Amino acid sequence: MRADADFFKTPNDVPRHLANGEDRPAGNDNWMGKVNFVEIRSFWHIFRSFDRMWSFLILSLQAMIIIAWNGGTPSDIFDRGVFKQVLSIFITAAILKLCQAILDIILSWKARKNMSLVVKLRYILKLLSAAAWVVILPVTYAYTWENPTGLARTIKSWLGDGQNQPSLYILAVVVYLAPNMLSAMLFLFPVIRRALERSNLKVVTFMMWWSQPRLFVGRGMHEGAFSLFKYTMFWVLLLATKLIVSFYVEIKPLVQPTKDIMKEPIRTFQWHEFFPHANNNIGVVIALWAPIILVYFMDTQIWYAIFSTLIGGIYGACRRLGEIRTLGMLRSRFESLPKAFNQCLIPSDTSKKRGFRAAFSSKPSKTPEGTKEEEKIAARFAQIWNLIITSFREEDLIDNREKDLLLVPYCKDRDMDIIQWPPFLLASKIPIALDMAADSGGKDRDLKKRMKSDPYFTYAIKECYASFKNIIYALVIGPREREVIQKIFNVVDEHIAEDTLIKELNMSNLPTLSKKFIELLDLLQNNNKEDQGQVIILFQDMLEVVTRDIMDIMDEQLSGLMESVHGGNYRRHEGITPLDQQDQLFTKAIDFPVKKTQAWTEKIKRLHLLLTVKESAMDVPTNLDARRRISFFANSLFMSMPSAPKVRQMLPFSVLTPYYTEDVLFSSQALEEQNEDGVSILFYLQKIYPDEWKNFLERVDCKTEEELRETEQSEEELRLWASYRGQTLTRTVRGMMYYRQALVLQAFLDMARDEDLMEGFRAADLLSDESQLLLQCKAITDMKFTYVVSCQQYGIQKRSGDARAQDILRLMTTYPSLRVAYIDEVEEPSKDRNKKIEKVYYSALVKAAVTKPDDPGQKLDQDIYRIKLPGNAMLGEGKPENQNHAIIFTRGEGLQTIDMNQEHYMEETLKMRNLLQEFLKKHDGVRYPSILGVREHIFTGSVSSLAWFMSNQETSFVTIGQRVLANPLRVRFHYGHPDIFDRLFHLTRGGVSKASKIINLSEDIFAGFNSTLREGNVTHHEYMQVGKGRDVGLNQISLFEAKIANGNGEQTLSRDVYRLGHRFDFFRMLSCYYTTIGFYFSTMITVWTVYVFLYGRLYLVLSGLDEALATGKRFIHNEPLQVALASQSFVQLGFLMALPMMMEIGLERGFRTALSDFVLMQLQLASVFFTFSLGTKTHYYGTTLLHGGAEYRATGRGFVVFHAKFAENYRLYSRSHFVKGIELMILLIVYEIFGQSYRGAIAYIFITFSMWFMVVTWLFAPFLFNPSGFEWQKIVDDWTDWNKWISNRGGIGVPPEKSWESWWEKEQEPLRLSGKRGIVLEIVLALRFFIYQYGLVYHLNITTHTKSVLVYCLSWVVIFVILLVMKTVSVGRRRFSAEFQLVFRLIKGLIFITFISIIIILIAIPHMTVQDIFVCILAFMPTGWGLLLIAQAIKPAITGVGLWGSIKALARGYEIIMGLLLFTPIAFLAWFPFVSEFQTRMLFNQAFSRGLQISRILGGHKKDRATRNKE
């Protein structure tokens, strides 16, 4: 920073006594104004910011048209004449440069007073040089032709017909291109470019002055050579493909028809043609080419989707995504898991081999040291694996049985020299082995084959035998008995060593032995003293089974021993040994009841599971979420990640969550409250998560919901259970506090001695709170991790006694290391004598006050810091300031920003220290990362079909989309909130959010822009994921998309996008455009294509040109048009979204799943949803650029199981979808009526199918995706509500939800703020509605014989008469209806009779038909709407004339007609009950569909029960 910067100067006009103190006034009245850039609302910013891209596309189009016109193959460019014509593109380039220079001056005009002279000089010189080239190039070009035509001839005639000088133009072009050649050279050597841009040497800055304004941002942003090569190749291939396809499919096929059309001008028109003698049918050519050219500008977006999908898929596969995606894959790789785990998550002391081969080699090393190392690996793995499984149980994803099957023994049993795997891998192996052995008949081939094919089969048998031995030895303490047992085991071990076990021993009675042993294990689990006798009997029985049935004693030693034990008559008196002698064996030799230890209990439980679980545990865990998480975690261990440092050495980090007024914890009342269908949140959650509900009841040890409500504690547990499944702050805080739990355990594993590790069963759990080691672990963790929740309104909520403040306090007491930051607004006595009290603002940080458990005092919070602010910090949208004011309370070098609709998982938090190491690596060889991107998992997909579409779309963006953006394209920014910021980098560069109101509406992405412009680097990492919730109902989704589209509109105007567009190199600029505002602009062009095509058809059909061309057989123009419209449909139907979605699902869950998901989505009407959202994006992006009006839209994060009223849907979608849908419908109807006589139905259907689909979708999707949208009773209620809304008078204080008038006025607000340009453009756009009337009046039956312009004038007379009559009636109603009611009624009757008479006369004399009446409606309705739009744009003038009341009445009439148009089909469908059934099935998953039907039947009963419970 320069020492002479303004920042360090004290302003001259500040009095000395204020220069230092706190009382200095905040802010200065004389605002300096904009200096370098002015945000002006204009579409031209798209061209100005990305002028190089538009120039490239326009020049390519020009060159392709020239080549296609002169032969049609690219090789024609080598023809001298064609080449000369192609060279004219440089003249176009010069003209575009001049446009850019003029635009720069116009858009920066407001900053002229504050600009430095040097900047002004630069603008003027750029304009002059551009203007000079626009003169020089055409002049020199004219002299390259011997027989010039057109413009070249004119130029020659002005300047004298001198000698031809072809080389002069070439020379001019070379000089013109010199700067471009220089920049191309620098592009190839990014090191030089970076050095030049960063340099502050006077010589260099003077040289760079032309290309780079003197700013501190946007310098030295160029990537390393390899990154440059990758994204350059990506775009070179993409652009080559795009241009080849555009040339052969869109442009070349159109050339011949165009030539045919231009050859023979058409002179017969079906309307009054103002230019009947115009040559070349130029109108037809424009109508034909316009949609094709629009598609040409849009289809790069389609190619980007295809290429990014392919590259993203390849990169994902290289990063080993989806290698373990099913439980089967997890089982097969489980052996190598502990080793991979150790390499990734445990800090390595020695530099052992790591990497690709090490991860796969699961062969144990045979040295004693190696064995010890393996034991340590197993012990550490056990600790962490069990922590993960326990967290699954606490989250109710698995039940107790599954938990037991998944747990690993906490440490290796020293007596058993074997590896112990989790029982879910070994389940059902022992019963199978027993059966196979029993049936073997002395042959062991089958058993060996099975053991060879399934390693876990062998592990299960070995472990079972070792545990059996271990338990028997532990129980038997009598020396005589021990000797017998020793001998028996010796015999068995010898047979095992000689591999003769099955051949030599009689295995058929093995199941009997197993049964006895299981009985023994049951008794050992209970461990009751009374059972001692039974234990002894079981031992005797087992001995008998072994000695008599299995071994059939052949061993002499054993035989002798048995005889001595049984008193010498073992063989002789088989079966008649005296009882008292028999009883002597084992009677006093058993140590029972056993002294229980954790290890003993675990061993018994585990062996019991191995012996008794008959069915295979192939589907453990059954919960889909648990499967997904466990598979992803296992998979991520085989991905490339930095080595983990010790917790002591890891980078410290903080997590920051901004919170406003969302739900913290669901209250009991909110859970019980039923909507109009009788569906409560709790009922809804029980239906969506039935298995988790069952597991929850098992955990709290309750059988039913009623039992839950008996105690306060279980009621509290219920609230938590529901809150962990909503989008609540509690869910987020629990997830983020897993970091602390994980770090404490990791610190323990780092610091524990080997003995602690090996001996310590649940070592971390069993350490007492006072233990020195645990206190040390917690202290280190608290130094490394801080969690701050920035609760903007906490102070206000506390003072007002809001339940949310209590819930936040409860969170602080549950998690003592949680901190809450908020802005406190306090009234203090004023130092100013004129004011008594003034508001003072503090930024405060609080924690829960520490109270002893037996302290009766109330638990409160206590301040840690309180910082006085110069004024209210909330100047922008709120959220950015809420984040930025709390950053000072965070600590460490990393800062993870987390939204309050996110959650984290225990297993993912373990990888945080690896992830933070990425800050220390240069990822592109040039600079360290400033933001680490992390992938998200959208957890709201199961709520409804819409939520599923949204979650799939979002998942593909946060995985494959961002993967490609980060590498190879190097343009990933910051899109949302699991990313980790380099805290110090951003703290010194303006925080993690830009906070200006409106322009920074999408505050997240500006953090990414800011970071990139200031030489930061944003990366993306896929070995860690964070959960995120998304909107789940159509209205919520539309509000969210509207907010994003608004935000993109504002970004288009912003200086950040302008600087990125100019400071990036050409290819990176393309990446930046197509992944930010370009996506929205292309979406808008898609819709424009439909409009331009249909208005072009309207012109051709109504003027009669279409018929003349089609019947003349000279003009077959369908193919390129069909291709263009197919491209448009490709975008419209959401296939653009579906491609990356399918690739990502395919990568991570298999391509068969991806295909079935895609088919299922189509069946659940995903195309309807995507077409509808196309309209949302287009409308809000367009209106933001045109008039502004961007605002933060609260979407609400609840569960959408409620029915939105018709009036609410109408308010939300009337302008964005309904009006446009009706306009397109009228266009299609006119095209159908007046074009059918000479055109085949098939061609019509083929061309207009996607447009009809768009119309129907835009008009009816909100009702189709509205729960209970086709229920008759709801329809009736909606109609009543809509009538009430439309007829209510507005006024001050009446909200838009209550009155149509208030809503209508609010809808026009952006026009008030729009400025002259916006209003003029609005009027120009409204003029399109007058075309219908002009064309259609000449197609009436009465006007077939005349094409005079008088017909059109007469139609306006008719319109004014109708409006006058309406005005008269409304004035009459106000003035006369009270006093002269009879006269007023007579006048109304006369008007009606006159109207009927005129229609009868018109039918009788000039033969007016019913079609004529219909056509008149089609002609006059759009005209009225056009007049309305113009009147709204010039409201002050209309109000001045006193006609605003009439305009309002006309508008209300139109709204009623639109409402009826929409309502009638819905009401008709609601007559049929199956429609409602189908809709519920389509919207919600089946379990809920069933539950919903049941709940309707039981509605009354449930309410009764609820009231009883309350009483």
Side-chain angles (χ1 to χ4, degrees), residues 621-636:
T622 48
N623 182 285
L624 294 176
D625 210 36
R627 286 181 181 194
R628 176 190 63 74
R629 280 170 55 179
I630 213 164
S631 305
F632 180 81
F633 175 68
N635 193 118
S636 69

Side-chain angles (χ1 to χ4, degrees), residues 293-331:
I293 285 174
L294 280 177
V295 167
Y296 166 81
F297 284 127
M298 177 272 293
D299 64 3
T300 315
Q301 195 72 50
I302 297 176
W303 289 111
Y304 173 78
I306 294 168
F307 272 71
S308 67
T309 300
L310 289 172
I311 299 291
I314 292 164
Y315 265 78
C318 292
R319 288 182 185 177
R320 309 181 67 172
L321 273 173
E323 275 189 14
I324 299 176
R325 56 173 179 266
T326 62
L327 288 179
M329 289 174 169
L330 178 66
R331 288 157 179 284

Side-chain angles (χ1 to χ4, degrees), residues 1101 1227-1237 1239 1244 1252:
V1101 159
L1227 281 165
L1228 285 164
I1229 289 169
V1230 171
Y1231 181 35
E1232 164 62 12
I1233 291 173
F1234 296 107
Q1236 60 182 344
S1237 55
R1239 169 177 33 66
Y1244 172 79
W1252 273 112

Side-chain angles (χ1 to χ4, degrees), residues 668-714:
S668 300
Q669 188 187 347
L671 290 178
E672 283 300 304
E673 205 175 317
Q674 296 178 343
N675 69 3
E676 54 217 17
D677 284 325
V679 179
S680 64
I681 290 180
L682 187 59
F683 170 79
Y684 185 66
L685 289 172
Q686 288 165 351
K687 290 289 163 244
I688 286 186
Y689 307 108
D691 51 344
E692 292 175 34
W693 173 248
K694 194 171 94 260
N695 297 343
F696 167 64
L697 288 176
E698 182 186 38
R699 179 165 60 85
V700 294
D701 202 16
C702 293
K703 298 280 183 293
T704 59
E705 196 182 319
E706 281 72 24
E707 215 177 303
L708 264 178
R709 299 184 185 286
E710 285 168 11
T711 66
E712 202 173 309
Q713 191 183 350
S714 52

Side-chain angles (χ1 to χ4, degrees), residues 1291-1322:
I1292 296 164
V1294 180
E1297 296 80 51
K1298 294 281 181 252
S1299 149
W1300 170 83
E1301 272 183 32
S1302 301
W1303 170 79
W1304 189 66
E1305 295 284 355
K1306 185 175 181 287
E1307 280 294 304
Q1308 292 162 47
E1309 262 174 28
L1311 278 171
R1312 303 289 78 80
L1313 312 165
S1314 181
K1316 293 187 186 71
R1317 270 189 316 276
I1319 284 170
V1320 168
L1321 224 98
E1322 185 69 22

Side-chain angles (χ1 to χ4, degrees), residues 1445-1471:
S1446 310
I1447 294 294
K1448 198 183 282 182
L1450 184 63
R1452 182 179 270 129
Y1454 268 95
E1455 305 281 2
I1456 290 168
I1457 292 166
M1458 278 203 297
L1460 278 170
L1461 259 177
L1462 294 168
F1463 209 91
T1464 313
I1466 297 165
F1468 174 72
L1469 287 172
W1471 267 100

Side-chain angles (χ1 to χ4, degrees), residues 190-191 194 198 220-227 921-929 970 1015-1017:
V191 184
R194 266 199 308 279
R198 285 173 177 164
M221 292 178 356
H222 304 280
E223 295 292 319
F226 185 54
S227 298
K921 269 167 56 179
K922 285 186 176 178
H923 284 263
D924 56 353
V926 177
R927 51 179 81 82
Y928 294 103
R970 316 295 307 170
E1015 294 194 59
N1017 178 19

